Amino acid sequence: MDRRRFLAAGAAAGLAGLSGCLDGLGSQGGVGGANRALQLVLSSEATPLRSGYVVDLSETERPDDERAFAATLDGETVTTQHRRPFGSRPDDPVYTRHEGTYYRLGAVVVDEATVTHPVLRLSAVGEAGGSDVPEATPADDLNRVDRKVVHVAHMAARARGNEGGVPWGLVQRGGYVYRDAETVETSRLLDEDAPSHVTYRETVYAVEVSHETFHEPVYRATVAPVAETPERMEAILRAKFVDARLSGADLSTAARSILRDAREGYEETHPYSEAYRTVLSGLHARAYLDGNIEKDAYVEDPGIGVVLYDGTYYRYRLRFLDRE
């Protein structure tokens, strides 16, 4: 899992945990009850930030990144459909270094394309080996591409009617969307004589394929120089990604101890100790001080961010936990 997926997953987890803890605050006397603890977790972030945010385009998961960068740098127009160039996002840009200069890589939407893609969905019909289930092809007997298709589509089928989510970066429209020509050409599940049922993890699934219309953005790759030195690049990354800064020299022994313990997870119930309140204030998490963030009219974030502590960067996460 790369850094961007990790942060996305962490944000989702933080929001989910925060949502769950808020559900019962109204009936808990405003502070969540005596058994509700606020947990702080610190985990390592790349230090310096350049080592995690500045990428080598020859080593990314997208083989076209290096060519797109070189072409755009030469003044050519490079466009992609549906997927943003370089894997960048508006809130999480990609940076690279070329001949001593650091560049920010991104994209702008310049058009819309209307296209048709096959969509494969699965629906469970029974357990494998059952007397009332139709004959099915084992997923292990399919080729590599189709095994991936079935795996993704099964996650969508499994989630229907159950609590929990699915990886929306993979699952789309409740199944697997064939977006590239190579996958369409390789997949036997799109053939006229494709199996009508497949077996995956002891469950028999009916296979349904439809051709659907998609309206996809067309992106133009952008390349902008931002820094000529490592120090300036580090300053740019700090300004964009660091939410708080702490110095051990300004903290009490108890507060420093909390930050040390937080690498394994530190928690307290309300009312919090003075040292914990100091740490929360230093993280600019004052919305948590009264034990009930519902009292605040505006909460900017769900309790996640990056802190620079005595020259080292950490990701921090705050969440409520119910303890028996």
Side-chain angles (χ1 to χ4, degrees):
M1 180 179 291
D2 62 23
R3 178 185 58 81
R4 288 172 176 79
R5 291 197 186 104
F6 182 91
L7 290 178
L15 285 168
L18 184 58
S19 174
C21 77
L22 289 179
D23 288 342
L25 282 176
S27 61
Q28 296 285 343
V31 296
N35 295 326
R36 187 181 296 279
L38 177 62
Q39 182 190 62
L40 169 65
V41 177
L42 295 181
S43 55
S44 297
E45 176 63 289
T47 302
L49 291 174
R50 300 189 308 278
S51 63
Y53 287 79
V54 179
V55 303
D56 183 343
L57 295 179
S58 66
E59 299 179 356
T60 68
E61 299 175 350
R62 296 162 297 277
D64 292 334
D65 284 355
E66 198 169 16
R67 292 191 295 271
F69 171 75
T72 304
L73 197 60
D74 287 341
E76 298 180 28
T77 297
V78 176
T79 60
T80 61
Q81 188 173 308
H82 175 65
R83 295 182 177 90
R84 296 177 62 91
F86 313 115
S88 65
R89 298 197 307 272
D91 60 340
D92 194 10
V94 174
Y95 298 90
T96 194
R97 189 182 188 188
H98 175 69
E99 296 182 351
T101 298
Y102 292 89
Y103 295 86
R104 172 176 170 153
L105 313 180
V108 293
V109 177
V110 294
D111 202 352
E112 179 187 66
T114 301
V115 294
T116 300
H117 294 304
V119 182
L120 184 143
R121 300 181 180 89
L122 298 179
S123 55
V125 297
E127 294 185 5
S131 58
D132 57 345
V133 296
E135 183 178 349
T137 299
D140 289 342
D141 292 349
L142 302 173
N143 64 34
R144 179 183 57 83
V145 168
D146 284 337
R147 289 197 300 271
K148 174 186 174 182
V149 171
V150 169
H151 173 68
V152 172
H154 119 275
M155 290 190 286
R158 181 185 59 186
R160 296 186 195 117
N162 297 321
E163 293 183 1
V166 294
W168 293 115
L170 297 174
V171 173
Q172 297 175 32
R173 296 200 180 184
Y176 181 90
V177 178
Y178 290 82
R179 291 189 176 276
D180 61 272
E182 182 179 357
T183 303
V184 171
E185 293 173 359
T186 307
S187 177
R188 302 281 70 85
L189 293 174
L190 299 179
D191 293 347
E192 291 184 1
D193 59 348
S196 61
H197 294 78
V198 295
T199 303
Y200 187 80
R201 295 185 179 177
E202 306 303 321
T203 299
V204 174
Y205 292 95
V207 179
E208 174 194 350
V209 176
S210 60
H211 291 76
E212 302 180 8
T213 300
F214 290 76
H215 303 282
E216 300 175 345
V218 176
Y219 296 100
R220 175 170 55 82
T222 61
V223 173
V226 294
E228 296 293 336
T229 66
E231 293 76 17
R232 175 61 65 84
M233 187 69 248
E234 193 71 13
I236 291 171
L237 293 172
R238 283 198 305 269
K240 181 166 182 59
F241 294 107
V242 174
D243 303 282
R245 307 182 190 209
L246 295 172
S247 170
D250 298 331
L251 299 173
S252 66
T253 300
R256 292 195 299 270
S257 177
I258 287 173
L259 289 169
R260 182 178 62 251
D261 294 344
R263 294 164 199 179
E264 299 295 330
Y266 177 86
E267 61 190 60
E268 287 188 18
T269 57
H270 195 272
Y272 308 130
S273 67
E274 187 60 35
Y276 201 21
R277 293 175 64 86
T278 298
V279 169
L280 294 175
S281 296
L283 295 175
H284 308 303
R286 294 177 178 273
Y288 291 82
L289 291 178
D290 59 11
N292 180 0
I293 63 174
E294 279 189 329
K295 289 183 178 180
D296 294 83
Y298 177 69
V299 178
E300 185 174 359
D301 61 66
I304 57 175
V306 175
V307 57
L308 174 59
Y309 177 42
D310 283 351
T312 302
Y313 299 98
Y314 299 92
R315 287 185 296 269
Y316 70 84
R317 181 183 66 183
L318 289 163
R319 62 175 180 173
F320 289 110
L321 301 173
D322 287 319
R323 296 305 190 194
E324 295 183 0

